[in-house]
């Protein structure tokens, strides 16, 4: 089964176009290292929670939107190899990152069911 790297991050509403442009620019880099797909989503129905929620997880501030995205890989080894190259590939260094990376969450997930 595939491996998925997921991301959750706050983005200022006014930076939506910049974020989309950045996401589009990142796809050829991920693809170069073996990614199968990339999905970027812009929060529309992301309620506040009492104990946990997406807004709480990223410490959402006024004027921001929660973005949820993921990259699909053939396996974990391919994903790990890409992340190892991020520090040395100039394409990643030149990326515009229109979000607060300190409040970004990410993780890798083994696919256990897919339809």
């Amino acid at each position: 089964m595939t491996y998925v790297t997921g991301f959750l991050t706050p983005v200022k509403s006014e930076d939506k176009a910049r974020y989309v442009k950045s996401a589009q620019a990142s796809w050829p880099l991920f693809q170069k290292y073996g990614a199968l797909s990339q999905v970027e989503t812009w929060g529309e129905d992301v309620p506040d929670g009492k104990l946990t929620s997406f807004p709480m997880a990223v410490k959402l501030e006024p004027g921001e939107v929660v973005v949820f995205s993921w990259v699909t890989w053939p396996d974990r080894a391919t994903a790990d190899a890409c992340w190892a190259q991020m520090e040395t590939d100039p394409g990643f260094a030149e990326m515009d990152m229109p979000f607060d990376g300190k409040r970004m969450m990410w993780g890798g997930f083994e696919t256990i069911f897919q339809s």
Side-chain angles (χ1 to χ4, degrees):
M1 288 248 178
T2 56
Y3 187 77
V4 176
T5 307
F7 307 89
L8 191 64
T9 193
V11 178
K12 291 180 182 176
S13 296
E14 64 196 44
D15 288 338
K16 182 177 182 179
R18 272 182 66 207
Y19 184 85
V20 170
K21 186 175 178 181
S22 175
Q24 290 169 335
S26 70
W27 171 239
L29 292 168
F30 288 136
Q31 194 174 29
K32 172 174 129 178
Y33 289 105
L36 302 173
S37 67
Q38 176 180 349
V39 177
E40 302 287 337
T41 65
W42 190 259
E44 286 191 8
D45 182 20
V46 187
D48 289 324
K50 293 187 188 227
L51 295 177
T52 63
S53 68
F54 285 133
M56 291 170 75
V58 298
K59 299 184 179 188
L60 196 68
E61 296 178 357
E64 292 180 331
V65 172
V66 175
V67 171
F68 177 48
S69 61
W70 61 93
V71 178
T72 306
W73 307 92
D75 51 47
R76 181 175 178 175
T78 304
D80 288 348
C82 176
W83 303 126
Q85 294 298 318
M86 285 184 86
E87 295 179 16
T88 58
D89 187 318
F92 283 111
E94 297 166 1
M95 295 289 304
D96 178 27
M97 303 288 205
F99 54 85
D100 183 353
K102 294 177 194 158
R103 292 184 287 141
M104 178 185 208
M105 305 172 67
W106 66 90
F109 301 85
E110 172 190 8
T111 302
I112 57 173
F113 173 80
Q114 185 172 345
S115 62

